[in-house]
């Protein structure tokens, strides 16, 4: 069945609206600027790697990153809401490292650099002056450019500087001389001094006036004429067109003069005709632009350069600045930060490699540092949930770890008692618990012998044994027990 015409028209309108909205989201810098936590995660990784060198410091990783986050948030709340490094009143990672970014002054960008031309730059200006008209200006590569506001350390001016600067002195009325007509000039005519080639430019009237002025000066080169001046008479455009404009303009000028006659000076004039032709090889030249102002104002010009990789040295300087300020606070309980051991570029490079997420780019530096308006700046290894600032709603983005494996919570066993700990030892040799020394009776031997017709009895030792028998019996019982136990254990 064929769809009615009104349905087709409605579908076309909806498609066009959706397509336009998609393009607007892509082109609008305010919508493209989102929360990106990579710089904060690199900082947290540097802290973790420093703590890993000493097990005592492992417990201080979390207090350190929390303190760094608190310092970064305090910087934002204490700064001016219209700071150039902020975006719509929210902090960026560039504003977190404000001191290092201002001190650096410029970040070289990758993009449209060709040959020996200088690389495009994102410059940060903190000083400026005013021109003769009282306008604030900043100096870029030796040229003065009018700034939207005065540049100070409190109100820096960001400037996107392209590879080639625009010619601030060039005007549409500018006329130049050349042996051939460049493609950048729309109109030209033959120079009165034909050996010089052509006069060319972008404006017909300016070309004709320049040509007439040359003719007047040539006439007055003769002593016979003086007080030469020119006057425009009329212009006749041709009927032939090229790109909608006349192919040629015929200009008429009167060159006035004064002749020195014997009867006295006499005024006169000569009519000259100039033919200004259109350059068929003309190609409009798009002059590069220097974008100046806040981050929001400069961001459109930076779009082609957002994937420029950041120097690890810059990130090291930013973190050193932030960590030093944090460690000097009286309630700081994180890792010690010696002044003689600043964060190095090698540490940052190792942290980036450990994260395995690529090198931070200019887009990361200029991205929002807090996950949602009014929240704290997060410097931690795992990024918190964020909201989509483009929709105007609170759409929470959660990390998906996959399906629930159904593993229950772990439980801890009860610690054993002292009796339970000693029970294995007590049951190791159960026969020892019932061991006793067997009882027996004995009588001290009293030997005798016959000598010299008499009987002699030896019994003094029995007297001693009767006297000290108790202690000796206990001592020997102990020796016997030790020897017996050693025999049993060695078996």
């Amino acid at each position: 069945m064929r769809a009615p015409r009104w349905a087709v028209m409605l579908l076309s309108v909806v498609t066009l609206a959706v397509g336009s909205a998609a393009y607007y989201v892509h082109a609008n810098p305010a919508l493209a600027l989102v929360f990106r936590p990579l710089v904060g995660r690199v900082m947290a990784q540097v802290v973790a790697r420093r703590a890993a060198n000493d097990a005592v410091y492992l417990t201080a990783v979390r207090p350190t990153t929390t303190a760094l986050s608190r310092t970064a948030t305090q910087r934002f709340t204490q700064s001016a809401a219209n700071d150039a490094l902020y975006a719509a009143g929210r902090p960026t990672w560039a504003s977190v490292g404000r001191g290092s970014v201002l001190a650096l002054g410029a970040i070289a960008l990758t993009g449209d650099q060709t040959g020996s031309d200088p690389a495009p730059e994102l410059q940060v200006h903190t000083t400026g002056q005013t021109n003769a008209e009282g306008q604030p200006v900043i100096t870029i590569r030796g040229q003065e450019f009018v700034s939207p506001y005065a540049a100070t350390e409190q109100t820096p001016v960001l400037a996107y500087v392209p590879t080639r600067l625009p010619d601030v002195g060039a005007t549409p009325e500018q006329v130049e001389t050349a042996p051939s007509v460049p493609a950048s000039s729309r109109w030209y005519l033959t120079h009165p001094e034909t050996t010089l080639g052509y006069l060319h430019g972008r404006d017909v009237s300016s070309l004709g006036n320049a040509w007439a002025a040359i003719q007047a000066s040539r006439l007055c080169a003769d002593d016979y004429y003086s007080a030469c001046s020119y006057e425009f008479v009329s212009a006749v455009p041709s009927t032939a067109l090229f790109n909608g404009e006349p192919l040629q303009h015929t200009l008429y000028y009167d060159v006035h003069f004064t002749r020195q006659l014997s009867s006295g000076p006499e005024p006169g004039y000569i009519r000259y005709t100039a033919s200004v032709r259109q350059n068929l090889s003309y190609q409009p030249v798009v002059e590069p632009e220097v974008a100046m102002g806040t981050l929001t104002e400069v961001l459109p010009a930076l779009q082609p350069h957002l994937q420029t990789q950041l120097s690890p040295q810059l990130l090291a300087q930013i973190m050193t600045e932030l960590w030093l300020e944090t460690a000097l606070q009286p309630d700081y309980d994180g890792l010690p930060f010696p002044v003689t051991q600043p964060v190095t570029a090698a540490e940052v490079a190792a942290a980036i490699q450990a994260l395995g997420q690529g090198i931070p780019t200019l887009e990361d530096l200029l991205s929002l540092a807090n996950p949602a308006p009014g929240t704290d700046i997060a410097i931690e290894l795992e990024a918190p949930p964020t909201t989509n600032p483009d929709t105007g709603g609170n759409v929470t983005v959660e990390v998906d770890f996959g399906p629930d494996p159904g593993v229950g919570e772990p439980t801890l066993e009860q610690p054993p008692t002292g009796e339970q700990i000693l029970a294995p030892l007590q049951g190791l040799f159960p026969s020892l618990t019932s061991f006793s020394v067997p009882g027996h009776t004995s009588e001290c031997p009293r030997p005798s012998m016959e000598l010299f017709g008499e009987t002699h009895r030896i019994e003094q030792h029995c007297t001693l044994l009767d006297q000290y028998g108790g202690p000796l019996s206990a001592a020997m019982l102990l020796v016997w027990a030790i020897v017996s136990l050693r025999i049993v254990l060695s078996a």
Side-chain angles (χ1 to χ4, degrees):
M1 184 178 69
R2 186 175 181 180
R5 180 176 297 179
W6 65 267
V8 175
M9 293 180 63
L10 179 61
L11 179 61
S12 301
V13 171
V14 171
T15 304
L16 179 61
V18 172
S20 301
Y23 174 80
Y24 181 73
V25 169
H26 175 74
N28 191 316
L31 298 179
L33 203 61
V34 296
F35 169 65
R36 293 172 65 92
L38 183 55
V39 174
R41 296 189 66 186
V42 170
M43 292 183 181
Q45 184 68 30
V46 171
V47 173
R49 293 180 67 84
R50 281 204 174 188
N53 294 331
D54 193 332
V56 177
Y57 291 151
L58 288 177
T59 56
V61 172
R62 184 67 178 177
T64 303
T65 55
T66 301
L68 291 172
S69 301
R70 183 172 60 249
T71 301
T73 304
Q74 289 173 349
R75 283 186 175 186
F76 167 62
T77 57
Q78 295 171 358
S79 300
N82 59 348
D83 191 292
L85 297 177
Y86 295 158
R90 289 179 62 184
T92 63
W93 289 110
S95 66
V96 171
R98 191 174 190 276
S100 298
V101 173
L102 295 185
L104 182 64
I107 299 176
L109 307 174
T110 56
D112 55 359
Q113 182 182 7
T114 57
S116 60
D117 293 334
E121 291 181 326
L122 172 61
Q123 297 183 356
V124 184
H125 293 266
T126 56
T127 58
Q129 53 190 5
T130 55
N131 57 18
E133 291 76 23
Q135 299 171 308
V137 294
I138 58 177
T139 302
I140 300 176
R141 296 180 187 167
Q143 298 186 35
E144 286 189 353
F145 290 83
V146 177
S147 171
Y149 53 87
T152 66
E153 289 191 1
Q154 289 70 35
T155 58
V157 175
L158 299 182
Y160 164 69
V161 182
T163 296
R164 181 176 60 86
L165 290 179
D167 187 356
V168 294
T171 63
E173 294 77 22
Q174 184 173 358
V175 177
E176 296 181 351
T177 302
S180 60
V181 181
S184 58
S185 290
R186 186 159 198 162
W187 302 95
Y188 71 97
L189 49 71
T190 303
H191 196 286
E193 298 286 348
T194 54
T195 56
L196 297 179
Y198 303 92
L199 292 175
H200 60 86
R202 291 183 290 170
D203 182 74
V204 173
S205 299
S206 299
L207 276 176
N209 292 337
W211 179 86
I214 296 173
Q215 294 287 28
S217 63
R218 293 177 68 201
L219 183 64
C220 277
D222 190 335
D223 295 339
Y224 185 67
Y225 300 96
S226 63
C228 295
S229 63
Y230 71 88
E231 177 186 8
F232 171 73
V233 177
S234 63
V236 180
S238 65
T239 57
L241 302 179
F242 180 73
N243 289 339
E245 291 194 37
L247 192 63
Q248 179 176 314
H249 290 271
T250 302
L251 307 182
Y252 297 93
Y253 290 88
D254 286 344
V255 177
H256 297 269
F257 56 84
T258 300
R259 289 182 293 188
Q260 302 298 328
L261 301 177
S262 57
S263 57
E266 178 181 86
Y269 72 92
I270 301 177
R271 180 157 293 182
Y272 288 89
T273 303
S275 297
V276 181
R277 297 179 176 87
Q278 190 176 166
N279 182 9
L280 301 182
S281 301
Y282 171 69
Q283 295 179 355
V285 176
V286 179
E287 284 287 338
E289 294 184 1
V290 175
M292 290 179 288
T294 64
L295 175 57
T296 304
E297 295 167 337
V298 174
L299 193 59
L302 294 175
Q303 289 286 349
H305 311 282
L306 289 180
Q307 298 310 309
T308 298
Q309 293 183 348
L310 294 180
S311 165
Q313 183 60 39
L314 172 60
L315 295 177
Q317 291 174 355
I318 291 176
M319 186 171 183
T320 296
E321 171 198 347
L322 183 64
W323 201 346
L324 180 60
E325 180 180 342
T326 303
L328 293 177
Q329 297 178 2
D331 58 345
Y332 177 69
D333 59 351
L335 290 173
F337 186 72
V339 180
T340 56
Q341 297 180 10
V343 178
T344 63
E347 285 184 284
V348 171
I352 293 172
Q353 184 177 8
L355 288 175
Q357 293 188 349
I359 300 177
T361 63
L362 180 65
E363 186 175 10
D364 293 303
L365 183 67
L366 302 182
S367 65
L368 299 174
N370 58 350
T375 59
D376 293 341
I377 296 174
I379 297 178
E380 52 191 9
L381 289 176
E382 294 299 331
T386 182
T387 58
N388 187 350
D390 301 343
T391 62
N394 295 324
V395 181
T396 302
V397 179
E398 301 284 354
V399 179
D400 184 9
F401 292 101
D404 184 4
V407 179
E409 296 182 358
T411 58
L412 296 178
E413 298 179 357
Q414 292 294 331
T417 63
E419 294 180 356
Q420 292 173 331
I421 296 175
L422 296 177
L425 296 178
Q426 292 176 346
L428 185 61
F429 298 103
S431 61
L432 291 179
T433 58
S434 60
F435 174 78
S436 62
V437 179
H440 67 281
T441 58
S442 61
E443 182 178 355
C444 179
R446 290 178 172 82
S448 61
M449 58 181 300
E450 298 291 334
L451 185 63
F452 302 114
E454 294 183 5
T455 301
H456 299 274
R457 295 181 64 84
I458 303 174
E459 55 183 0
Q460 291 298 324
H461 62 284
C462 293
T463 303
L464 292 174
L465 288 174
D466 291 339
Q467 232 174 357
Y468 301 102
L472 289 175
S473 176
M476 295 308 297
L477 181 63
L478 177 62
V479 171
W480 188 87
I482 292 173
V483 172
S484 301
L485 183 60
R486 184 178 183 278
I487 292 173
V488 173
L489 294 178
S490 61

